[in-house]
Amino acid sequence: MSLGYRDKILWAAGFMDGEGSFRQTKLSHRQRGSATHTVSATQKEREPLDQLCMLFGGVVRLYPQHTTGRSYYKWTVNGPTARGIMMMLFPFLSSRRQGQIRVALSGPWSQRTQRPRSFRRSLAGQLSRELVFSLAV
């Protein structure tokens, strides 16, 4: 049986509610301490992460675990795509995960995707940030 797009989004929301992470991460020092948004999930089995990758994009990587000998896979999406995923899944997530998303989206935008500084300080910039939260809530 093939799932429709809505069913896939609901599956992803359930999976990410249990296994996912929604956060804001700092980029390397070469990018002057700017921040971006990250959505990720970690699993021993690759298949569910491949499904997330097909649905939302991103990358699945294998990480060897040297101390326990168990390897694991991690799916990661960054930047504007991660913000879109956060807003798309928000209404279907638990209050705990919704809180993670609120915290992640309340921080500064990535310098690579930000509007000019004068815009961020303006009323229009403030309204733009409030719109993100109104869409997420």
Side-chain angles (χ1 to χ4, degrees):
M1 179 173 121
S2 178
L3 294 177
Y5 185 71
R6 184 176 192 283
D7 293 331
K8 290 178 183 179
I9 296 299
L10 293 175
W11 170 84
F15 184 84
M16 292 301 293
D17 199 55
E19 304 294 330
S21 174
F22 305 91
R23 64 189 184 282
Q24 185 179 99
T25 54
K26 288 188 177 186
L27 299 175
S28 70
H29 62 78
R30 285 182 274 158
Q31 294 165 333
R32 296 186 201 125
S34 63
T36 190
H37 297 92
T38 302
V39 175
S40 65
T42 303
Q43 283 283 294
K44 292 179 188 175
E45 299 295 323
R46 185 178 175 131
E47 182 193 358
L49 303 180
D50 285 337
Q51 291 182 21
L52 289 171
C53 193
M54 286 188 300
L55 189 60
F56 298 121
V59 63
V60 177
R61 289 192 173 99
L62 174 64
Y63 290 89
Q65 183 64 283
H66 300 293
T67 56
T68 63
R70 297 181 187 162
S71 297
Y72 63 94
Y73 295 93
K74 185 173 183 178
W75 168 73
T76 307
V77 176
N78 296 303
T81 304
R83 288 192 291 275
I85 293 167
M86 289 179 192
M87 289 186 275
M88 181 186 299
L89 298 182
F90 186 90
F92 308 111
L93 297 172
S94 67
S95 59
R96 176 176 170 245
R97 295 298 186 193
Q98 288 179 349
Q100 279 186 346
I101 290 173
R102 281 191 180 104
V103 169
L105 293 177
S106 67
W109 297 91
S110 168
Q111 287 182 359
R112 292 181 296 173
T113 59
Q114 278 180 342
R115 291 177 176 90
R117 185 174 297 273
S118 60
F119 178 86
R120 289 185 309 196
R121 291 184 182 161
S122 70
L123 177 60
Q126 180 63 32
L127 292 174
S128 174
R129 286 189 294 281
E130 288 175 9
L131 175 63
V132 168
F133 284 106
S134 68
L135 291 175
V137 175

